Amino acid sequence: MRQILRYAAVAVLLFSSISKAQTLGPLTVEKIMRDPKKWIGTSPSDISWSEDSKTIYFNWNPDKHAADSLYGYDLTSKKISKIAPAIRKTLPGKSDVFNKQKTQRLYEKNGDIYLISTTDYKIRQLTNTVERESNPAFSGDDQRVVFIRGMNLFSIAPDSGLLSQLTDFKSGTKKADSKPEGHEKFLKDDQLAMFEVLKERNEKKDAGKKITDAEKAAYPKEIYLGEKNVSSQQISPDGQFITYRLTQPNKSAKSTIVPNYVTESGFTEDIDARTKVGAPVSQSEFWVYNIKKDTTLKVAVKNIPGIGDKPDYLKDYPKLDSAWKKDKERDVVINGPFWSDNSKNAVVVVRSLDGKDRWIMALDPETATLKLLDRQRDEAWIGGPGIGGYPMSSGEIGFIDDNNIYFQSEETGYSHLYSLDVVSGKKTALTSGKFEIQNVVLSKNKKSFYLITNEVHPGEQHFYKMSVTGGPRTRITQQTGAHEVTLSPDETKLAVRSSQSNVPWELFVMDNPDANTKSINSEQVTRSTSPEFLSYAWRKAKVVTIKATDGQDIYARVYEPKKSNGKAVIFVHGAGYLQNAHKWWSQYFREYMFNNMLVDKGYTVLDLDYRASSGYGRDWRTGIYRFMGGKDLTDNTDGAKWLVKNYGINPKKIGIYGGSYGGFITLMGLFTTPDIFAAGAALRPVTDWAAYNHPYTANILNEPQSDSLAYRKSSPIYHAAGLKNHLLMCHGMVDVNVHYQDVVRLSQRLIELGKNNWELASYPMEDHAFVEASSWMDEYKRILKLFEEKL
């Protein structure tokens, strides 16, 4: 009996130790900054379907391995199984390239082209080469498969296996036939006139060449590229035209170098990094190859309406303003074309390199001319969901039928869906309102759109179905939060990745309902979070609106302590154009946990979607144009004042922290509004926008050589003299996004200014996004120490 009691006591102790190991207990930096896959769990990602719509595939890591593995969920057995590498190798790749009857699908995998039947699911490998093949597409008659190999377009006939080369792009320039001139020509003519044998042999050679040329197979026209690069090669559905883009790299643009100090070799190794904003950019041309005529034509852009329009900001620079020539052609990039199935209509998206214009235009391939269908101009810059913010982006666009296209535009101030008849030019708004269309999928039968919108609330994203003609939308997802939806190939099922503000992403499956369905049930497939993570009551932050100085409503999340210590911290999300005051699981999950820990200690924490955040329309998106650190900062200072008024926070006990753009705002806060923030942690911050990249920065601040005022107002390094309170800076030394050089230059500036209330923590092995748990832990211990000591 005594032995049994001893065993029972051991069992109780063992169970108790297991329970403690699975209980998180009071939050500490050491706990929450551990490797997340080892203690939180890994959410499913990269969702796809089997061809028969019976299995959902996803990447997952329930076993806490070093990397994710592929898993499959069988809808019949309702079981999850790990996919063996040998089976994974045979699974078809992703793509939405179908023939007209939707009976075959093309995809590229490991550099080869495959064809899969959507009726019996048999797979045929069409190429098996060392050279990579990509961008497979069906020809207009569905009889051939067209793809890119190297620089050229090829086609293969699946029935016969005949491989044909459609283009013959060559690097360099064509060597001209060397014909004798001057005295050489005289000598040759004299020789042929003098010697009969030479004359006869020359005549035979010419005759032979004519016969050879006559019997030679018809190959595509040789197109020499010089020093230019070719891209976007595409053949029209009727096989009559090939379009392509030629880009002239700008070799004068100087790249930066990031030194890597901690290396396997023991030597410092240089990492080639990006250019800086304002560096010369590559120029491009768009061409049409007429196969039947064996001719090439460059698409002219000089007649594009508004091609020479002068940007408004030049009014601040009289010399530049007066020097602008009326007939100036701004540099543009042409994207596409997008063809109707009958080859009668082709549409391209033209974008100006200065970011201020997007034209949707009809392309006449015979004449290589353009006709305007729709123009969107923004004196700030073109962008938004389904539109994209860079010249190489065509945005969401496609043909509904042979005459009508669909696309997204911020014409009303919010990104909405439109249709346009390319023949009549009639444009129809399919959606409208003070919300954004986040994602668009056209159904296979082209009768419906599947949409993700934030119309319920800016902090929620739901899935809808709508007719291609517009009208009422049927809401399909119901649970609060956000939903990423992947349709099954037969469009009868939905694989839904869903999350809430305090619940990480999980995978669900549900039926694709009829329009009349009101109650929709979903089935949870994965349960990814660990018992240890679930043992803590993670907070659902209260989503509130704060009135800004200019009267606008700022959406924010506030974390309320049970008992306030009178102190507050404002967290500033990164990226600028990103949303974090929402009702789904944040990509800033470490910061979310850190904020929970601060609240446990009595801090009130505020997290705002300041000006430039995504999800709120064009005016909010472009609110930082020509002044970063303007309205985006005052939104945060307004948040600080709101905390004082509504939560009784001591105005001298407010801290601020954030990474990347959030680090930039932290610097601007401490430098330009020093009486608002008593302490701040700027993580991997931009200190001088003239040192950042071109695509992002030139949109917002134009180029430094033409809009120096915008850069002086917006760059913290020019305002460093205002530092009064306590500053911590943390930066990875191998950051190839925001270079470590940024924080080094600011450090020197602070030294020269005689500032002594700052410190810099450097992380020798970290890029922009930290990887090592030890780095995260060190960084956040320093942030916590800053707030605990200085607030």
Side-chain angles (χ1 to χ4, degrees):
M1 181 69 179
R2 197 175 298 161
Q3 191 173 9
I4 293 172
L5 289 172
R6 194 182 304 122
Y7 284 144
V10 170
V12 169
L13 286 170
L14 182 62
F15 178 78
S16 177
S17 65
I18 292 172
S19 297
K20 287 180 180 178
Q22 293 181 337
T23 301
L24 188 57
L27 299 183
T28 65
V29 172
E30 289 81 0
K31 288 179 182 178
I32 62 179
M33 293 299 162
R34 288 174 288 166
D35 184 344
K37 67 176 174 288
K38 293 181 179 179
W39 80 274
I40 298 176
T42 303
S43 293
S45 62
D46 203 19
I47 314 300
S48 63
W49 284 86
S50 63
E51 213 67 35
D52 61 5
S53 299
K54 293 181 179 179
T55 304
I56 305 173
Y57 295 109
F58 52 95
N59 288 337
W60 202 32
N61 192 359
D63 300 323
K64 304 176 183 178
H65 292 310
D68 294 358
S69 298
L70 183 69
Y71 284 77
Y73 175 72
D74 184 276
L75 269 64
T76 303
S77 66
K78 299 186 182 299
K79 290 183 178 179
I80 299 175
S81 58
K82 190 173 183 177
I83 307 301
I87 297 176
R88 183 173 186 168
K89 190 176 180 181
T90 65
L91 292 177
K94 297 179 182 178
S95 84
D96 56 358
V97 182
F98 292 89
N99 62 356
K100 289 185 176 67
Q101 288 73 36
K102 301 293 190 293
T103 57
Q104 293 179 316
R105 180 171 69 88
L106 286 168
Y107 64 91
E108 176 262 327
K109 189 172 184 179
N110 299 323
D112 288 310
I113 306 299
Y114 294 80
L115 180 69
I116 183 170
S117 167
T118 59
T119 53
D120 60 14
Y121 315 118
K122 289 182 178 178
I123 297 173
R124 283 186 60 191
Q125 185 170 354
L126 301 182
T127 67
N128 184 19
T129 64
V130 174
E131 197 168 6
R132 186 178 188 86
E133 288 91 25
S134 62
N135 296 77
F138 285 99
S139 60
D141 58 6
D142 284 341
Q143 299 302 306
R144 294 172 297 151
V145 172
V146 181
F147 57 88
I148 295 175
R149 176 188 292 168
M151 294 189 298
N152 287 296
L153 274 179
F154 290 80
S155 73
I156 189 169
D159 292 341
S160 65
L162 177 65
L163 179 68
S164 303
Q165 185 167 339
L166 304 179
T167 63
D168 191 12
F169 294 112
K170 296 179 182 293
S171 299
T173 55
K174 185 176 182 178
K175 292 181 180 179
D177 294 334
S178 55
K179 294 182 179 180
E181 295 180 356
H183 75 287
E184 292 182 12
K185 184 176 185 301
F186 171 80
L187 288 175
K188 181 179 180 180
D189 292 343
D190 194 47
Q191 290 290 95
L192 292 174
M194 187 179 299
F195 301 105
E196 287 296 324
V197 174
L198 281 178
K199 184 178 179 182
E200 289 175 3
R201 288 181 179 180
N202 186 59
E203 291 172 349
K204 286 180 181 178
K205 183 177 68 173
D206 290 344
K209 186 176 183 304
K210 287 181 180 179
I211 294 171
T212 302
D213 289 345
E215 294 178 349
K216 188 177 180 180
Y219 291 123
K221 180 183 180 65
E222 290 181 339
I223 300 174
Y224 285 84
L225 306 177
E227 295 184 347
K228 298 174 183 177
N229 299 321
V230 64
S231 62
S232 303
Q233 306 94 314
Q234 189 183 152
I235 191 168
S236 60
D238 61 7
Q240 296 299 309
F241 303 96
I242 290 174
T243 54
Y244 56 96
R245 181 192 296 137
L246 297 183
T247 304
Q248 178 70 60
N250 198 308
K251 296 180 180 179
S252 65
K254 186 175 181 179
S255 295
T256 50
I257 293 173
V258 175
N260 187 7
Y261 292 97
V262 184
T263 63
E264 290 183 12
S265 68
F267 292 88
T268 300
E269 298 173 1
D270 290 339
I271 302 171
D272 290 328
R274 56 169 172 77
T275 58
K276 298 180 188 293
V277 60
V281 295
S282 299
Q283 308 297 308
S284 71
E285 305 165 344
F286 201 76
W287 289 75
V288 179
Y289 169 33
N290 188 318
I291 298 173
K292 190 174 181 180
K293 294 181 178 179
D294 199 33
T295 58
T296 58
L297 286 175
K298 178 182 171 182
V299 176
V301 299
K302 65 179 181 180
N303 293 324
I304 293 177
I307 187 70
D309 284 3
K310 179 169 53 177
D312 282 356
Y313 78 88
L314 288 184
K315 294 174 183 176
D316 290 342
Y317 304 92
K319 288 184 179 180
L320 293 175
D321 189 53
S322 60
W324 186 277
K325 296 179 180 178
K326 291 183 178 180
D327 58 349
K328 177 183 175 67
E329 282 183 25
R330 284 180 292 152
D331 293 322
V332 299
V333 174
I334 299 178
N335 300 284
F338 304 89
W339 290 91
S340 61
D341 287 343
N342 64 4
S343 292
K344 290 184 178 180
N345 294 304
V347 170
V348 295
V349 177
V350 186
R351 301 190 70 144
S352 60
L353 289 190
D354 66 8
K356 301 187 187 304
D357 269 290
R358 181 200 69 178
W359 299 268
I360 298 176
M361 309 195 78
L363 169 68
D364 181 349
E366 275 288 351
T367 60
T369 55
L370 300 172
K371 175 187 173 185
L372 182 66
L373 297 173
D374 182 79
R375 180 187 180 189
Q376 183 187 339
R377 179 169 175 84
D378 197 315
E379 285 298 338
W381 74 97
I382 299 293
I387 300 165
Y390 303 117
M392 303 297 282
S393 171
S394 58
E396 188 66 55
I397 188 167
F399 272 88
I400 300 171
D401 54 41
D402 285 333
N403 287 343
N404 288 278
I405 60 170
Y406 67 92
F407 62 95
Q408 284 181 249
S409 172
E410 278 189 328
E411 180 180 329
T412 64
Y414 293 85
S415 181
H416 280 290
L417 188 63
Y418 295 81
S419 66
L420 188 149
D421 188 311
V422 298
V423 178
S424 68
K426 181 183 177 182
K427 183 169 70 172
T428 303
L430 302 179
T431 63
S432 62
K434 291 185 177 181
F435 64 90
E436 292 187 322
I437 305 298
Q438 302 289 331
N439 185 259
V440 178
V441 173
L442 181 63
S443 65
K444 285 184 178 179
N445 62 13
K446 296 188 175 184
K447 293 183 178 180
S448 303
F449 285 115
Y450 292 100
L451 311 172
I452 291 178
T453 84
N454 63 355
E455 58 193 272
V456 170
H457 184 278
E460 294 188 46
Q461 293 186 354
H462 288 284
F463 189 65
Y464 295 80
K465 185 177 182 180
M466 181 186 77
S467 168
V468 291
T469 58
R473 291 176 293 281
T474 301
R475 179 174 162 184
I476 295 176
T477 55
Q478 302 295 326
Q479 187 176 12
T480 300
H483 306 84
E484 299 171 358
V485 180
T486 307
L487 279 160
S488 63
D490 63 8
E491 298 187 354
T492 63
K493 302 282 185 181
L494 309 175
V496 183
R497 219 172 73 102
S498 181
S499 73
Q500 298 179 55
S501 62
N502 63 343
V503 180
W505 296 91
E506 297 288 4
L507 178 62
F508 298 78
V509 64
M510 60 188 296
D511 291 330
N512 186 7
D514 296 326
N516 297 325
T517 304
K518 294 182 180 180
S519 177
I520 303 164
N521 297 318
S522 62
E523 174 189 341
Q524 186 168 348
V525 173
T526 61
R527 286 174 172 80
S528 307
T529 45
S530 69
E532 183 181 10
F533 178 82
L534 293 172
S535 69
Y536 179 85
W538 300 103
R539 293 169 176 82
K540 275 191 175 181
K542 184 187 294 184
V543 178
V544 298
T545 57
I546 298 170
K547 191 65 71 175
T549 300
D550 62 357
Q552 296 296 313
D553 286 331
I554 312 165
Y555 283 83
R557 299 201 295 192
V558 60
Y559 299 78
E560 302 172 336
K562 288 183 178 179
K563 185 177 181 181
S564 172
N565 61 10
K567 306 172 186 179
V569 169
I570 293 179
F571 167 63
V572 189
H573 70 68
Y577 191 61
L578 182 146
Q579 189 176 5
N580 203 52
H582 49 57
K583 300 179 183 180
W584 65 85
W585 185 246
S586 173
Q587 67 185 71
Y588 291 101
F589 65 92
R590 290 183 179 88
E591 291 79 357
Y592 168 77
M593 294 187 294
F594 183 70
N595 292 342
N596 272 266
M597 188 186 75
L598 290 174
V599 175
D600 286 346
K601 293 177 178 292
Y603 292 83
T604 303
V605 178
L606 189 64
D607 171 8
L608 300 96
D609 276 341
Y610 51 87
R611 228 64 63 103
S613 298
S614 62
Y616 305 97
R618 180 266 170 197
D619 290 349
W620 205 262
R621 176 179 65 81
T622 61
I624 56 170
Y625 179 58
R626 299 190 69 206
F627 191 6
M628 301 159 92
K631 290 180 180 179
D632 46 359
L633 175 59
T634 59
D635 287 345
N636 281 282
T637 58
D638 286 340
K641 295 170 185 175
W642 181 84
L643 287 170
V644 172
K645 180 180 178 182
N646 292 276
Y647 284 85
I649 299 300
N650 184 336
K652 298 186 181 298
K653 301 288 184 180
I654 300 176
I656 185 171
Y657 83 102
S660 194
Y661 200 97
F664 153 73
I665 288 291
T666 298
L667 291 178
M668 291 295 276
L670 290 178
F671 292 172
T672 66
T673 59
D675 295 328
I676 299 290
F677 303 110
L683 320 175
R684 51 198 179 275
V686 175
T687 68
D688 184 355
W689 285 108
Y692 197 51
N693 71 28
H694 187 94
Y696 178 85
T697 320
N699 269 345
I700 303 170
L701 301 180
N702 304 306
E703 293 185 342
Q705 60 267 37
S706 63
D707 198 359
S708 57
L709 294 175
Y711 283 81
R712 290 295 178 100
K713 283 195 300 184
S714 302
S715 296
I717 199 165
Y718 294 107
H719 307 284
L723 179 64
K724 186 166 73 173
N725 293 320
H726 304 280
L727 168 64
L728 165 67
M729 295 182 291
C730 301
H731 210 122
M733 295 178 71
V734 287
D735 190 334
V736 296
N737 181 13
V738 179
H739 298 155
Y740 182 68
Q741 180 191 20
D742 267 37
V743 80
V744 172
R745 291 177 63 234
L746 179 58
S747 297
Q748 178 61 27
R749 180 73 179 134
L750 293 170
I751 291 169
E752 293 181 7
L753 289 167
K755 304 293 182 180
N756 55 16
N757 52 343
W758 63 277
E759 63 176 308
L760 169 63
S762 303
Y763 297 85
M765 299 189 70
E766 295 293 359
D767 197 342
H768 195 62
F770 282 15
V771 174
E772 302 300 328
S774 57
S775 300
W776 283 105
M777 198 174 298
D778 180 272
E779 183 178 52
Y780 275 80
K781 284 170 71 175
R782 293 175 187 273
I783 299 170
L784 179 61
K785 181 182 178 183
L786 174 75
F787 292 151
E788 291 282 68
E789 291 182 355
K790 305 304 180 184
L791 296 187

